[in-house]
Amino acid sequence: MTEPIRLSKRMSELGLSSRREADEWIAKGWVRVDGKVVSELGSKVLPHQKITVERQAAAEQSKRVTVLINKPVGFVSGQAEDGYKPAVTLIKPENRWLEDDADEQFHPTQLRSLVPAGRLDIDSVGLLVLTQDGRIAKQLIGENTDIEKEYLVRVQYTRPGKLPDADLKKLNHGLWMDGKPLLPAKVRWQNDDQLSFTLKEGRKRQIRRMCDMVGLKVVGLKRVRIGRVKLGDLPQGQWRYLRPDEQF
């Protein structure tokens, strides 16, 4: 016997919406189960039941924007803390990249519920995604995400000689953090003092801590790619819209 599950959870599993969006749509009468409108929050469905949404829901979803920003040092990803400004404060017309060719027009309402899909440390720079779209947030930071994130990391070796190959192998696989093994990573030298890290997880200050374990000191860290979306030539402190043809 298959257990019934919450309609909003099932909609999220099917990729129709985020759970919060689903609850909004259910309350507005925009969701049908097997052709019948379901407007009671907390309603449950069986996995085989057919869920459809009204056109208004799709139209509302398509208005939700996703913004890419090249975050400078000194800005936090999310809420303001310790006197530091959040990256969202950079999203204003004068900071929009002149080469952004998206048709989207900036409007202050886009700043409402624009949340970071992932974090980037205050002393790191590079690609940060802010989105109003729950589906994108789930794709990038949901518990089952396997989206790659690529970083360029400038380092100094704090021990005599140079980093042994065995320690480079450890950075790729074999380190533990907070009592758990890290997922395999792709770490390789770009040049004498710069490594490329490609990760599928993002524990707090993970790259800096990994480097510390093998005697490397991080002197600069820049995120250059999330999934298939690259930072490219976007200047530091500027932003652009995610284009309709781009997918993480």
Side-chain angles (χ1 to χ4, degrees):
M1 173 72 183
T2 310
E3 291 291 309
I5 59 171
R6 276 182 80 110
L7 175 55
S8 56
K9 182 172 188 234
R10 182 64 179 146
M11 287 171 67
S12 170
E13 283 174 359
L14 292 169
L16 294 169
S17 66
S18 68
R19 284 201 205 184
R20 194 174 65 187
E21 275 176 331
D23 282 336
E24 284 172 20
W25 296 354
I26 292 163
K28 288 176 176 172
W30 290 353
V31 178
R32 290 175 184 263
V33 177
D34 292 338
K36 290 188 180 147
V37 171
V38 174
S39 56
E40 192 178 324
L41 292 176
S43 298
K44 295 194 169 181
V45 292
L46 291 165
H48 68 267
Q49 291 187 282
K50 188 176 183 208
I51 301 166
T52 52
V53 294
E54 302 294 340
R55 279 205 304 271
Q56 299 98 301
E60 191 172 274
Q61 208 169 39
S62 71
K63 281 189 264 177
R64 302 204 166 169
V65 299
T66 297
V67 166
L68 311 176
I69 189 164
N70 185 344
K71 186 190 89 65
V73 167
F75 284 81
V76 290
S77 305
Q79 300 292 319
E81 55 186 77
D82 303 330
Y84 293 107
K85 288 182 175 177
V88 72
T89 58
L90 290 165
I91 298 171
K92 42 194 175 186
E94 58 267 35
N95 290 344
R96 184 174 179 181
W97 190 28
L98 289 172
E99 292 184 36
D100 183 5
D101 53 8
D103 293 334
E104 206 73 55
Q105 293 296 310
F106 175 76
H107 193 277
T109 55
Q110 292 167 355
L111 299 175
R112 270 189 230 141
S113 66
L114 192 65
V115 295
R119 48 178 292 126
L120 195 57
D121 293 335
I122 191 163
D123 37 11
S124 301
V125 302
L127 185 57
L128 181 67
V129 177
L130 298 158
T131 188
Q132 293 178 315
D133 192 331
R135 295 166 304 172
I136 286 179
K138 184 180 178 217
Q139 189 184 18
L140 297 188
I141 53 175
E143 56 196 49
N144 299 321
T145 184
D146 62 351
I147 299 252
E148 286 187 344
K149 299 177 179 77
E150 186 182 345
Y151 304 79
L152 293 180
V153 186
R154 204 165 289 288
V155 290
Q156 286 170 351
Y157 193 45
T158 59
R159 299 171 189 168
K162 65 188 190 68
L163 183 76
D165 287 344
D167 282 349
L168 182 65
K169 280 199 180 117
K170 267 192 211 164
L171 287 171
N172 278 273
H173 195 207
L175 294 177
W176 284 59
M177 199 174 280
D178 306 324
K180 290 183 190 162
L182 291 173
L183 294 178
K186 291 179 204 154
V187 184
R188 59 186 190 275
W189 286 106
Q190 293 288 101
N191 51 46
D192 289 346
D193 67 346
Q194 188 164 267
L195 287 161
S196 158
F197 274 72
T198 303
L199 308 178
K200 285 192 175 178
E201 62 188 328
R203 302 202 205 170
K204 195 166 183 182
R205 296 184 80 78
Q206 180 174 335
I207 291 175
R208 293 171 196 277
R209 291 166 70 192
M210 287 170 76
C211 286
D212 202 38
M213 289 174 193
V214 296
L216 290 169
K217 181 185 174 200
V218 171
V219 291
L221 192 153
K222 181 183 194 178
R223 183 156 62 201
V224 293
R225 178 172 68 83
I226 297 176
R228 290 190 294 235
V229 175
K230 294 179 179 174
L231 179 65
D233 297 325
L234 181 62
Q236 210 171 102
Q238 295 189 20
W239 61 273
R240 69 174 180 86
Y241 290 105
L242 183 75
R243 296 192 312 269
D245 64 311
E246 287 181 300
Q247 287 197 330
F248 292 99

